[in-house]
Amino acid sequence: MIGNQIVSYSVRDQDAVFRALADVSRRELLDRLFAKNGQNLGELCEGLAMTRPAVAKHLKILEAANLVVVQWRGREKLHFINSVPINEITDRWIRKFEPPYLAAISDLKSQLEGDSHD
Amino acid sequence: MIGNQIVSYSVRDQDAVFRALADVSRRELLDRLFAKNGQNLGELCEGLAMTRPAVAKHLKILEAANLVVVQWRGREKLHFINSVPINEITDRWIRKFEPPYLAAISDLKSQLEGDSHD
DNA sequence: TTTATATGAAACCTTTTAGCTTCATGTCAA
DNA sequence: TTGACATGAAGCTAAAAGGTTTCATATAAA
């Protein structure tokens, strides 16, 4: 753990990440958090063609996949992006499907990040 | 187009890719094709706890997402990985969620590839 | 030409998913 | 302490997804 964020995921957990990313509404929520991190549920609902409980469910799934971490402030639940699972998956598929010189770049990237892989 | 492979995808098409990758059986099929490219349906079915029509359905979804391209040889349908959609998505999320020096690496990567982005 | 092989397609079933409505709980502020 | 606000939870419905069985079609080989 580094602060609140888990830094290494099992292959099993990666399934939750893939499935969480499969829904366009959830990707849109991540986009919104990228534009403005730390929003509460109410803010995240604004302008969406969905009810609040629906958004809450999506956020719960993102939380379960560790793509979003939360912090309570009084009665407000603030949502923050966690980029670690994304990077894990990105690494996996880069390594698998890119030509050698790109894999080398990926290795460099990992060294810069100080990751310990699998 | 470069040969048979489409090199640029719309945001709409990316949804098909995300959804295709959400299923563990389909990711396993991609893994198998990575280990040995150009397999036919029969080969891809071997040792899987699934019937042939099920595997065929999965491959159809991978095809629709352009993650797999096919080539007929007589009565055999050969399946090949297409890495382009993966790279598109990888790029998107790298750019969004990684710190600046990693985005810079991603830019370098793109230049090496000669991609024209969005 | 007949038989075996490789795949496609249709119909059906079950489970999961995405959404809703309604109600309950906890926290802040007057 | 009362009322407004922010969220959680339960129960329901409709649609999508993943799988099966059965049958049809096209190609290769005997």
Side-chain angles (χ1 to χ4, degrees), chain B residues 29-41:
Chain B
L29 286 170
L30 288 179
D31 285 345
R32 278 169 167 250
L33 285 178
F34 182 76
K36 184 183 173 193
N37 213 4
Q39 296 182 68
N40 66 18
L41 177 57

Side-chain angles (χ1 to χ4, degrees), chain B:
Chain B
M1 304 273 280
I2 296 181
N4 274 334
Q5 308 195 351
I6 300 170
V7 290
S8 174
Y9 290 91
S10 72
V11 173
R12 178 168 33 81
D13 292 331
Q14 291 197 357
D15 188 62
V17 181
F18 275 112
R19 291 223 309 267
L21 291 176
D23 186 274
V24 66
S25 297
R26 289 193 287 269
R27 294 198 302 277
E28 193 176 330
L29 286 170
L30 288 179
D31 285 345
R32 278 169 167 250
L33 285 178
F34 182 76
K36 184 183 173 193
N37 213 4
Q39 296 182 68
N40 66 18
L41 177 57
E43 278 179 280
L44 286 170
C45 288
E46 286 168 19
L48 290 185
M50 238 187 314
T51 59
R52 185 185 51 72
V55 175
K57 273 194 187 178
H58 283 307
L59 289 170
K60 192 175 180 183
I61 290 169
L62 290 171
E63 264 188 76
N66 269 300
L67 287 162
V68 161
V69 282
V70 301
Q71 187 178 350
W72 282 91
R73 187 180 60 191
R75 64 188 167 184
E76 282 178 292
K77 190 181 193 179
L78 305 183
H79 300 77
F80 300 85
I81 288 184
N82 179 17
S83 66
V84 174
I86 296 271
N87 292 335
E88 286 267 331
I89 283 180
T90 301
D91 279 356
R92 173 185 171 189
W93 293 93
I94 284 182
R95 285 170 188 287
K96 275 207 169 299
F97 298 110
E98 289 193 348
Y101 65 88
L102 295 179
I105 288 177
S106 181
D107 287 335
L108 170 61
K109 199 165 73 61
S110 300
Q111 285 177 24
L112 289 172
E113 287 174 314
D115 280 3
S116 67
H117 287 283
D118 294 308

